Amino acid sequence: MIKAFEPIVSNTSEILILGTMPGEKSLVLQEYYGNRGNQFWRLLFTLFGKEITHDYSEKIQLLKDNNIALWDVLQYCEREGSLDSNIKNELPNNFEAFYKRYPNIKRVLFSSKNAAAYYDKYVGRKETIEYDVLPSPSGANATKSFAEKLEIWQLKLLFSTK
């Protein structure tokens, strides 16, 4: 069984970005979106006008400075490789306890359609939270260019921070 990471969250977090489950490289590095081919951190640093860094503590600080929490829908699963399509025997994280502990979360942005599907299957959407799906930052998602992803992320993420 693969175990996901603890959330990156603070009491001021208003936005929650949810992935499905860390990939192999992320698990080895013990960092969210640790695969350099993934555009997650590049998208965020670009959106907030910051120079990209490989220092994980600075990445975490960027999230906290902008009231963004980061977590995965699944807590455990079995999977060969990093593809969501290989996930089986999955168990979700405890969102009921999470939302009780962090009541300022008002918007959830899924970093992929798969994350949204697992959330809908195991958690269900709350009326008090607004939901949206971002284009996947994965390097395997070549249907959109970085510029196209950036434009959509900007509309969906920065809109929600106002």
Side-chain angles (χ1 to χ4, degrees), residues 6-25:
E6 293 298 314
I8 296 171
V9 62
S10 70
N11 290 329
T12 61
S13 296
E14 298 173 359
I15 300 165
L16 172 61
I17 299 177
L18 284 174
T20 305
M21 190 73 177
E24 287 182 315
K25 185 71 170 176

Side-chain angles (χ1 to χ4, degrees), residues 57-99:
S57 64
E58 289 181 39
K59 293 175 179 179
I60 292 170
Q61 193 60 51
L62 178 77
L63 294 171
K64 291 183 177 181
D65 288 348
N66 291 284
N67 300 318
I68 298 171
L70 184 59
W71 206 19
D72 286 307
V73 175
L74 302 179
Q75 182 178 25
Y76 293 100
C77 75
E78 292 177 15
R79 179 185 64 204
E80 286 188 39
S82 295
L83 297 176
D84 286 353
S85 58
N86 292 338
I87 289 175
K88 59 184 179 182
N89 299 322
E90 67 273 6
L91 295 169
N93 273 307
N94 184 344
F95 283 90
E96 186 175 334
F98 180 84
Y99 290 135

